Amino acid sequence: MPKVDSTGKPGYFGKYGGQFVPEILVPVLNELEQAYEQAKKDETFQSRLKSLSNTFSGRPTPLYLAERLTEHLGGARIYLKREDLAHTGAHKINNALGQGLLALHMGKKRVIAETGAGQHGVATAAVCAMLGLECIVYMGEDDIKRQALNVFRMKLMGTEVRSVSSGSRTLKDAINEAMRDWVSNPETTYYIIGSVVGPRPYPAMVRDFQAVIGQETKAQSLRQLGGLPDCIVACVGGGSNAMGIFYDFIPDQSVRLIGVEAAGSGISTGKHSATLSAGKVGILHGAMSYLLQDEHGQVIETHSISAGLDYPGVGPEHSYLKDNKRVEYVSVTDEEALNGFKLLCSLEGIMPALESSHAIAHALKIAVGMPKNKNIVINLSGRGDKDMDIVQKAMGVKI
């Protein structure tokens, strides 16, 4: 299967994607698309991006064989793509750096962003500090409470964090407020969207900035494994880390691709964020994709122990890949994710983000049934420092 951006209409992945925005944003998005297309061909831009990816972001990140975890399970070998070792602790830095440079390239000195788990906010804050850009990050009130450490990190780097108290007070509402800001200040402001969501050209642009994960993984697999991996597993909220590692492998039919959503308390309870597993097609934040919605088409509140997966939508390219069955989408509960978190800590000395713990939990399920000569790569998209309070409370531990 080729890597397909659309079936003929710009910004569409099959019937998904598009540009469903207020009229005032259409020329702004067109300007952004033209600037991005130019930047892709601009050797000076690409050279600076590559240089800063190495010296500022810390790329390439390693592909690590989790020997004790593999031995514990007794099945397929498990490798971790260590995006948690990238600067600021997550894959989010790849996209924030690319878009930060694009804002500078376009002459926009005011940057806004939204964040759920805080990792995109921290990455954007770091890039803006390094490039000398004003930075404002919108964040749901509930996410500010559960990701207080990341809020402090953003403020230390000179970013203004604006609390959003509307709706479910999580990522969806933070995006709503960032969109309102953008509509009010389209001429002066660059909006760094943090995932493969939103109107054209964001889904493809964010994916392109994250595709370095898959490109590195493929080269490292050929060198370290002697061939391509048999399976790649990544968590899916909006879906940027998953698209980043999947994209280069889409034509490689021998590689099984699995996206893992948050089943929260269980899909049957209604308290979850499993958009692709339980959603219906609709429009949210400027694009058509699968959404969690009620019988009247209203977006419903979601739940996940991980703030970064607590979102009722998903990137439109994931919807396309679900329908054509190139990627399998599954879900794991909060409890299963916590078990994955604890196992990786105790066996490998690596503390994963709760988002990544969902991918770990599913990989644990399938590894035991696979032969020992097979290889699974898990995209470890972020580190778990930010989640310590949540994990401590969930485990009932008093210190």
Side-chain angles (χ1 to χ4, degrees), residues 45 149 219 229 398:
F45 180 92
L149 177 60
K398 293 182 179 179

Side-chain angles (χ1 to χ4, degrees), residues 62-132:
L63 184 65
Y64 167 77
L65 172 60
E67 290 189 59
R68 291 197 69 220
L69 183 61
T70 298
E71 184 180 350
H72 174 80
L73 296 171
R77 286 187 290 264
I78 294 181
Y79 288 81
L80 308 175
K81 179 57 176 167
R82 297 291 308 274
E83 290 299 294
D84 60 311
L85 295 180
H87 179 45
T88 69
H91 75 290
K92 294 291 188 183
I93 193 70
N94 305 320
N95 170 58
L97 178 60
Q99 290 203 58
L101 287 174
L102 192 56
L104 205 62
H105 182 72
M106 296 173 69
K108 309 241 178 181
K109 299 296 181 66
R110 180 178 186 265
V111 166
I112 59 171
E114 86 299 322
T115 193
Q119 294 295 69
H120 172 56
V122 171
T124 302
V127 167
C128 286
M130 185 264 292
L131 297 176

Side-chain angles (χ1 to χ4, degrees), residues 30-48:
N30 289 342
E31 179 194 15
L32 172 61
E33 188 167 28
Q34 289 169 9
Y36 176 57
E37 291 301 320
Q38 182 191 37
K40 282 199 290 187
K41 303 169 189 168
D42 186 330
E43 290 184 7
T44 303
F45 180 92
Q46 293 298 330
S47 175
R48 191 174 188 197

Side-chain angles (χ1 to χ4, degrees), residues 111-115 120-121 124 135-139 174 178 190-192:
V111 166
I112 59 171
E114 86 299 322
T115 193
H120 172 56
T124 302
C135 184
I136 297 164
V137 171
Y138 289 89
M139 194 168 183
Y190 186 103
Y191 179 14
I192 298 184

